[in-house]
Amino acid sequence: MSDVFCRQGDFTDGYCVGTINGCDGLYLICQETQTAKRLPDEYQETPIYISPDCGGYRDGLIMVSRMGEMRLAFHHDKYGCAGFWGWIDKDFNNIIEPQYIFAENFYNGKASVSKGKWIQVDNGQFDWEEESWGIINMQGEEIVPCIYDELNEICDSDNLYLAHKGGWENGNYCIVDSNNKEEILQLDFNFDAGYMFNEMFVSEDNLFFIDHLPGEGTDLIYIYNMVSKKFLVHGAPYTERTLNGENKIVVNKDGQDIIVF
C-alpha cells in the first residue's frame, strides 16, 4: 500500500479514514490487512476534524456527511461540526441515516447531535433554523431528546451535560444526566460554556462552574453538591493562591478563607 494519511489522526481499532498517495478520495483503511475501501461517492466530501471530534472511524462506525466543509453566515461555537451527518458501518451500510446539521463523534457509546435545517444564503454561506440538540446511542436512539438550544459535555464526566432550553430570550440553563435521562439541576445563573476561559468540571460529588468575567476584575465560582442537592458556594468571588507550592482556589465565606480545590 502507498503511504497513508490518517485524516482522523491515527488508527482506531486497526482502522482509520484517510487518503492514500496516488489515489483520489477518502478510504476506510485496515491497518492489519493493509487494504483500503473507497467511501461511497455521496460521502467523499465528509470533513474530518480532530477538534471538534467529528468525521472518521470509531468503534465500528464511520461518521459521514453529505455536505463538505461549510461556510456559515454566522458564528457558531461548534462551527466545525456543521454538515449533514450520519453513520455507516465498515461495509458501508447506513446505520444512522444522515439527518443532523451539527454532530460530534461517538464517545462511550454516545454522541451529541442537533436536528435542524440548512438554508443557503449569499456567497455560498449557510444559515440554519430549528437547531435542537440531544444525545443518541449507537443505534440512533435518542437517549436525551433533541429539545435543547445548546448541549455541552462537562469535563471529567461521561454522563453530565450543560444544556440550555426554552429559547435564548426566556429560557435557562440546566444539567442533564444522560444515564438517568433527566434534568438534575435548573441553573439560576447564566454560564457561557463557549467562552474559552470559563470552566465546568466534576470532582467527586461536586459540580464546579468557574465564570470568568472579562473586564470586571472579578471571577465567580459555583459549587453544587450532587448528593445533598445544594450549592456549597454560589457565585462567590475567588482568588488563586500558591500554598505549599501548589496552586489553590480560595473562597472567602463568612469571613473565613476556604480552599475549595
Side-chain angles (χ1 to χ4, degrees), residues 73-86:
F74 304 98
H75 171 75
H76 194 287
D77 288 339
K78 298 186 179 180
Y79 188 102
C81 296
F84 196 66
W85 294 102

Side-chain angles (χ1 to χ4, degrees), residues 48-83:
I48 298 174
Y49 298 101
I50 296 173
S51 180
D53 185 4
C54 57
Y57 172 88
R58 176 177 286 170
D59 297 339
L61 295 180
I62 308 164
M63 185 179 180
V64 290
S65 174
R66 288 185 179 151
M67 303 179 79
E69 188 170 347
M70 300 176 64
R71 295 171 58 221
L72 302 187
F74 304 98
H75 171 75
H76 194 287
D77 288 339
K78 298 186 179 180
Y79 188 102
C81 296

Side-chain angles (χ1 to χ4, degrees), residues 100-245:
Y100 301 108
I101 63 169
F102 295 98
E104 297 182 76
N105 222 325
F106 280 100
Y107 184 72
N108 290 334
K110 294 177 284 192
S112 299
V113 297
S114 175
K115 294 179 178 178
K117 180 181 179 180
W118 289 118
I119 301 171
Q120 192 162 8
V121 293
D122 296 336
N123 301 320
Q125 296 178 319
F126 286 86
D127 193 2
W128 62 97
E129 288 184 345
E130 303 170 12
E131 182 182 3
S132 55
W133 285 85
I135 302 169
I136 60 172
N137 61 22
M138 298 183 76
Q139 292 73 47
E141 301 164 333
E142 292 185 10
I143 57 176
V144 171
C146 291
I147 60 173
Y148 295 100
D149 308 312
E150 183 180 73
L151 196 67
N152 293 282
E153 188 173 11
I154 296 178
C155 290
D156 301 319
S157 170
D158 62 1
N159 64 299
L160 297 180
Y161 295 78
L162 175 71
H164 192 279
K165 65 176 184 177
W168 291 107
E169 185 174 349
N170 298 311
N172 68 283
Y173 282 98
C174 63
I175 304 301
V176 177
D177 186 339
S178 62
N179 287 348
N180 298 329
K181 305 178 183 179
E182 65 180 4
E183 298 172 7
I184 63 170
L185 174 64
Q186 305 296 320
L187 300 190
D188 59 357
F189 59 93
N190 288 326
F191 184 81
D192 184 3
Y195 182 52
M196 63 183 298
F197 296 108
N198 283 350
E199 300 175 63
M200 56 179 179
F201 58 92
V202 174
S203 179
E204 298 180 346
D205 295 320
N206 294 321
L207 265 170
F208 289 81
F209 302 88
I210 298 180
D211 194 4
H212 294 269
L213 305 176
E216 296 190 20
T218 301
D219 297 329
L220 304 179
I221 187 169
Y222 300 80
I223 307 172
Y224 178 78
N225 183 269
M226 292 179 286
V227 176
S228 67
K229 299 182 179 180
K230 294 181 179 179
F231 279 98
L232 306 180
V233 175
H234 189 282
Y238 71 90
T239 57
E240 297 186 32
R241 301 183 194 172
T242 301
L243 301 173
N244 298 322

